[in-house]
Structures are given as C-alpha cells and as structure tokens.
C-alpha cells in the first residue's frame, strides 16, 4: 500500500503470527515484496501515521485489508535497554515492550 502523503510503502498482509522484536526486525529485513528488498521495521512515528483516530478496533487506516487488532512492533527503542515502542491498533495506544515479548509486524519501506 502506497502512502502518498508520507512517501512510504506499507506491507498490506500479515508477516506471520506474533513474534519477538529480533524476529520482527529480521522478518522485515528478509522480506521481498513487489520486487523490493529494502523493507524494514517502522518507527513509532511511522506507525502513528497509519492510525485513524476516528475508528476503534481497529484504529488502523481503512486502506489496509489485512490486520489483527493487536500490538505491532516499532524499531524505536525507549530509554531502557531492550525495550521498544509498540502500537496497539485495537485502540491506538502506544506502549513499550520488552524485546522478548511477542507482537505483530507490518513492514515498511521508503518509496
């Protein structure tokens, strides 16, 4: 899915089930989709950009056809080692997670 406002291209299918942060990062790095090989884990700011605050459960923008109303990893580390920001697309809340916790992943690339 192309986001013309941000200049990002988003993966519009789930990259497997919930997984820890290291596996999420590796999943995006190894993703080949649409003949592109430069996918990555999004930052928390990029995830915020696909939240639709007028919706609930999911708060994910309606342009996406594949989703789970649950937590998704970001690449943004918080001030505590091995903890990263995540976003819950059920309600739009941002939380920090220990990297061994399991969350979903939606990969992104810069167009």
């Amino acid at each position: 899915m192309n986001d013309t406002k941000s200049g990002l291209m988003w993966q519009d299918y789930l990259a497997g089930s919930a997984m820890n942060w290291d596996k999420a990062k590796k999943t995006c790095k190894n993703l080949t989709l649409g003949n592109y090989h430069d996918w990555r884990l999004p930052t928390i700011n990029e995830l915020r950009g696909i939240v639709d605050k007028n919706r609930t459960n999911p708060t994910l923008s309606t342009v996406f056809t594949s989703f789970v109303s649950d937590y998704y990893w970001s690449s943004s580390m918080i001030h505590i080692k091995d903890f990263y920001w995540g976003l819950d697309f059920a309600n739009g809340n941002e939380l920090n997670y220990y990297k061994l916790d399991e969350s979903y992943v939606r990969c992104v690339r810069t167009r």
Side-chain angles (χ1 to χ4, degrees):
M1 191 286 296
N2 289 318
D3 183 346
T4 55
K5 188 169 83 172
S6 69
L8 297 173
M9 180 183 285
W10 290 91
Q11 166 198 25
D12 192 15
Y13 71 89
L14 292 178
S17 58
M19 59 189 79
N20 68 41
W21 187 87
D22 288 323
K23 185 172 180 185
K25 185 174 180 182
K26 185 176 182 179
T27 295
C28 289
K29 181 180 181 193
N30 293 334
L31 179 64
T32 297
L33 179 63
N35 292 323
Y36 298 106
H37 308 280
D38 58 346
W39 296 91
R40 59 181 170 75
L41 204 55
T43 67
I44 191 65
N45 287 334
E46 291 167 338
L47 284 177
R48 288 178 190 136
I50 59 173
V51 168
D52 183 344
K53 295 188 186 285
N54 296 316
R55 299 189 54 186
T56 57
N57 205 13
T59 58
L60 183 64
S61 171
T62 58
V63 300
F64 292 95
T65 59
S66 178
F67 59 85
V68 174
S69 290
D70 209 334
Y71 302 103
Y72 285 75
W73 284 114
S74 84
S75 62
S76 303
M77 184 186 281
I78 68 167
H79 62 278
I80 302 170
K81 183 181 189 282
D82 294 333
F83 280 79
Y84 294 85
W85 283 108
L87 197 139
D88 184 353
F89 282 110
N91 54 28
N93 289 339
E94 297 173 21
L95 300 164
N96 55 67
Y97 301 99
Y98 181 58
K99 73 180 208 171
L100 296 180
D101 292 337
E102 293 192 346
S103 292
Y104 289 89
V105 60
R106 184 170 302 274
C107 304
V108 68
R109 65 178 295 276
T110 304
R111 296 184 329 152

